[in-house]
Amino acid sequence: MNTITIVLALAAIVVISIIVIVATQMREKARIERARKITALGDSYKRCERLLAEIPGQYLTSELKLLLLKRMLDICNDLAGLKSSLPVNQWRESTEQRKTLVRENRDEMSQIRIDSVEKSNAAKDLLQNLFKLIESMHKSGRIDAATAKKNLKYVLFLVHKTHADLHVFQARDLIRQNEIRKAIHAYHLASTEMGKSQDNPLAMKAVKSFRIRIRELEAMMAEGGNGSPAESGSKLDKQWDDFLHDEEWKKKADYDD
């Protein structure tokens, strides 16, 4: 075997070795990337599941639920393509069942009374995560601009409502303690929160109702505390508790002055 043949043989061995190393590295990189995608998608599914389970039932409309379920089904489809070991078929089946319940208006969710700062902040954090999810769905082309805009505005309104809910609860509690001046201040705070959603007719109706309640309480103070502030406010309080789901309240979206 001459020198040229030996050199060529050695060169071939080196080239083959490099090809094998590069191919091995590429396979390893692809394996790591696949594992990363599976983990990220699994985490995304669980986040959506948590939002559905933990956002107070009074805040989630059917449309918001369907958006979350759509994202969960998209995740299942992506995971199926990656052939993950996660229980994708089980997830897809349960998600489809929930979707059917929502469309048939049979998806009952428990309401959570916002009666503490902790509950208000927890609800706000969940809604902010929902906001980010809707944004990401729009950016990735999973929903159109009109759908994204409509639901993002509504979620922002709900964020403001979490604070207003807390102030209303505090106001009612203060009224029971006959702390009328402090209750008026709490209603002012609730009105300010709702005023941040000026383009939402429900929010403006709420602001109007708070102002009426404030005037009632101020009149009672001027009269020396005569009358029952709790009883006089019961109607407005009931409207506030139900107004996200009260059809009569929604029908007044044009709100005559």
Side-chain angles (χ1 to χ4, degrees):
M1 184 178 293
N2 59 38
T3 304
I4 294 175
T5 303
I6 293 172
V7 171
L8 290 174
L10 290 172
I13 292 171
V14 171
V15 170
I16 292 171
S17 297
I18 291 173
I19 291 173
V20 169
I21 291 170
V22 170
T24 301
Q25 289 178 338
M26 289 179 65
R27 281 198 300 269
E28 180 63 14
K29 185 178 179 180
R31 185 191 68 79
I32 293 171
E33 180 62 16
R34 175 177 170 275
R36 186 196 65 78
K37 286 182 178 178
I38 289 173
T39 299
L41 287 168
D43 289 344
S44 294
Y45 183 92
K46 290 174 183 176
R47 279 196 297 272
C48 291
E49 200 172 40
R50 178 171 176 252
L51 292 177
L52 266 178
E54 296 185 16
I55 291 178
Q58 66 267 31
Y59 293 162
L60 279 179
T61 62
S62 293
E63 187 169 356
L64 288 174
K65 291 178 188 177
L66 289 173
L67 280 178
L68 281 166
L69 293 168
K70 170 180 168 52
R71 179 58 188 138
M72 291 164 76
L73 287 172
D74 287 345
I75 290 170
C76 289
N77 292 334
D78 291 343
L79 285 170
L82 292 170
K83 296 180 172 57
S84 75
S85 60
L86 294 171
V88 178
N89 290 334
Q90 180 183 334
W91 287 357
R92 182 186 285 111
E93 184 179 352
S94 64
T95 303
E96 289 285 6
Q97 289 175 351
R98 183 76 180 270
K99 186 176 177 181
T100 299
L101 289 175
V102 173
R103 285 180 168 172
E104 295 177 354
N105 200 29
R106 294 189 293 117
D107 185 53
E108 297 294 333
M109 294 185 66
S110 60
Q111 298 191 9
I112 299 174
R113 191 177 188 183
I114 307 299
D115 55 7
S116 69
V117 174
E118 291 75 20
K119 287 183 181 180
S120 177
N121 288 337
K124 181 187 73 173
D125 289 343
L126 290 167
L127 290 166
Q128 287 175 337
N129 286 332
L130 177 58
F131 187 94
K132 292 176 184 176
L133 175 65
I134 296 171
E135 275 189 323
S136 69
M137 290 178 72
H138 175 229
K139 289 177 181 177
S140 63
R142 297 180 187 277
I143 56 175
D144 59 44
T147 300
K149 182 179 179 180
K150 174 186 174 183
N151 285 283
L152 288 173
K153 285 174 65 175
Y154 187 72
V155 172
L156 277 179
F157 158 71
L158 292 177
V159 170
H160 299 147
K161 188 177 184 298
T162 62
H163 296 292
D165 276 335
L166 177 60
H167 294 313
V168 169
F169 173 81
Q170 292 170 335
R172 295 175 185 176
D173 191 49
L174 288 165
I175 287 172
R176 284 191 290 269
Q177 300 173 42
N178 205 32
E179 296 279 357
I180 306 303
R181 193 176 300 279
K182 291 181 180 179
I184 289 172
H185 178 65
Y187 275 121
H188 273 299
L189 292 175
S191 178
T192 299
E193 286 298 328
M194 285 289 90
K196 294 176 181 177
S197 292
Q198 294 183 9
D199 56 350
N200 187 302
L202 285 176
M204 293 302 95
K205 178 63 178 179
V207 169
K208 184 176 179 180
S209 74
F210 291 145
R211 289 173 180 168
I212 292 171
R213 184 65 167 133
I214 288 168
R215 287 197 295 269
E216 289 178 347
L217 295 172
E218 288 175 338
M220 289 177 187
M221 287 183 63
E223 294 171 2
N226 295 326
S228 173
E231 289 180 7
S232 63
S234 60
K235 182 178 179 181
L236 290 176
D237 287 344
K238 182 66 167 59
Q239 285 181 325
W240 175 249
D241 289 338
D242 296 340
F243 94 119
L244 285 182
H245 305 288
D246 189 335
E247 292 306 314
E248 285 303 311
W249 186 283
K250 289 179 181 179
K251 287 175 184 176
K252 298 177 183 176
D254 51 350
Y255 306 128
D256 298 329
D257 291 327

